[in-house]
């Protein structure tokens, strides 16, 4: 499977689209990413990543709320 090339500009645009009231949660997510050890991904996680790449290639997009709906309930 061909990997999607992601760059910082893409992430900056995504961050710029986050509503101000959700910035604290986004901050926590980024901090968690930076604090992670080099954990191996499970087969399920790898399958989810493959699905996400396929969705992007097919121009199937999801809103911030759809992607993080479970985390935003906290």
């Amino acid at each position: 499977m061909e990997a999607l090339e992601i760059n910082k500009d893409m992430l900056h645009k995504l961050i710029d689209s986050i509503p101000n009231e959700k910035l604290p949660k986004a901050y926590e997510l980024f901090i968690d990413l930076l604090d992670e050890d080099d954990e191996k991904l499970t087969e399920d996680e790898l399958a989810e990543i493959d699905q996400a790449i396929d969705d992007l290639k097919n121009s199937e997009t999801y809103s911030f709320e759809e992607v993080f709906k479970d985390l935003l309930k906290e």
Side-chain angles (χ1 to χ4, degrees):
M1 170 154 293
E2 184 180 320
L4 177 67
E5 191 169 325
I6 297 175
N7 60 49
K8 288 184 179 184
D9 287 336
M10 293 169 69
L11 292 174
H12 287 206
K13 287 178 184 175
L14 180 63
I15 291 168
D16 286 343
S17 70
I18 298 171
N20 286 338
E21 65 272 9
K22 294 182 181 169
L23 288 175
K25 191 60 163 180
Y27 178 81
E28 288 178 27
L29 292 170
F30 277 99
I31 293 298
D32 288 345
L33 280 173
L34 294 172
D35 287 342
E36 284 183 0
D37 294 331
D38 291 332
E39 298 177 21
K40 299 286 183 198
L41 296 176
T42 66
E43 290 297 318
D44 287 341
E45 291 169 327
L46 291 170
E48 289 176 1
I49 291 169
D50 287 341
Q51 180 63 52
I53 291 169
D54 287 342
D55 289 346
L56 284 169
K57 287 180 181 177
N58 295 322
S59 298
E60 296 177 26
T61 60
Y62 304 90
S63 71
F64 180 87
E65 287 79 11
E66 289 172 310
V67 174
F68 295 106
K69 66 183 171 195
D70 293 335
L71 294 173
L72 295 173
K73 289 180 184 176
E74 297 176 3

